[in-house]
Amino acid sequence: MSSAPPLSLKLLNSMNRTGFATALGFAFELSPWVVERAWSERPFASVEALHAAMMDVLGAASLEDKLALIRAHPELASKAAIAKQLTAESNAEQASAGLDRLTPEEFARFHDLNAAYSERFGFPFIICVRLNDKASILAAMQARLAHDEAEEIAEAIAQIGLISKLRLLDAVTD
């Protein structure tokens, strides 16, 4: 979804930590620490290996770091999303699922589910919107309200993994 020219793995593998984190910081919503911590695993043989190293960083991260990453994500179909005040990646992803074109009823349903979810878990609902549509997102929001906190943190991290992988596949060439 990035309009920048693709980054090559060769170039990324040659970058210093700061350049690497700056170039790929978009992959994990406002959380370049994930990318920066994966830098030491270079060289990466493929985009998949690059992403796997980043997911290993997430797997080893403290609960506090995981929660900070989850909380860095915007609410789906929020007023900020409708006003296009999110990161470029989040704006494009939400638009891809039609979340920028909700009826007043749909907007109210998203608002109510976001509020219930946030009250229950203390962080925003996260789903890879590029792999879903409005109906499947609403169904997942409703179903995941029944999870316990540990299940939902794990699911949020898994969804962040899908989001970040798609972002990397869009931006990096082998």
Side-chain angles (χ1 to χ4, degrees):
M1 298 213 154
S2 172
S3 59
L7 296 161
S8 73
L9 268 180
K10 182 177 179 185
L11 175 63
L12 290 168
N13 283 331
S14 71
M15 288 180 168
N16 66 24
R17 183 184 301 266
T18 302
F20 184 81
T22 301
L24 295 176
F26 66 87
F28 292 85
E29 195 81 10
L30 304 174
S31 303
W33 61 266
V34 178
V35 174
E36 187 175 326
R37 291 180 194 174
W39 175 83
S40 61
E41 299 303 311
R42 294 168 310 117
F44 300 105
S46 65
V47 176
E48 288 75 16
L50 169 67
H51 185 254
M54 293 176 184
M55 292 308 293
D56 288 346
V57 165
L58 268 185
S62 68
L63 178 60
E64 293 75 25
D65 282 348
K66 288 176 184 173
L67 287 171
L69 171 62
I70 293 167
R71 290 182 177 124
H73 285 74
E75 272 192 354
L76 295 179
S78 67
K79 287 186 171 122
I82 301 302
K84 304 267 192 261
Q85 296 171 336
L86 310 178
T87 63
E89 293 80 16
S90 286
N91 277 330
E93 289 159 355
Q94 290 203 28
S96 76
L99 300 186
D100 60 340
R101 300 177 304 279
L102 298 175
T103 67
E105 296 77 20
E106 289 169 332
F107 181 81
R109 184 77 180 125
F110 270 97
H111 178 77
D112 291 347
L113 285 168
N114 275 328
Y117 187 92
S118 181
E119 184 176 318
R120 173 141 168 69
F121 296 110
F123 50 81
F125 175 83
I126 298 175
I127 192 167
C128 184
V129 296
R130 286 171 66 183
L131 300 179
N132 287 278
D133 60 20
K134 288 185 278 192
S136 64
I137 293 167
L138 286 167
M141 290 176 91
Q142 186 67 53
R144 286 171 49 189
L145 279 168
H147 285 178
D148 66 30
E149 184 180 39
E151 287 174 311
E152 202 46 33
I153 290 169
E155 182 61 29
I157 294 297
Q159 293 295 320
I160 289 168
L162 294 171
I163 294 164
S164 60
K165 186 168 190 176
L166 289 173
R167 287 179 179 184
L168 289 170
L169 288 169
D170 284 345
V172 180
T173 58
D174 283 340

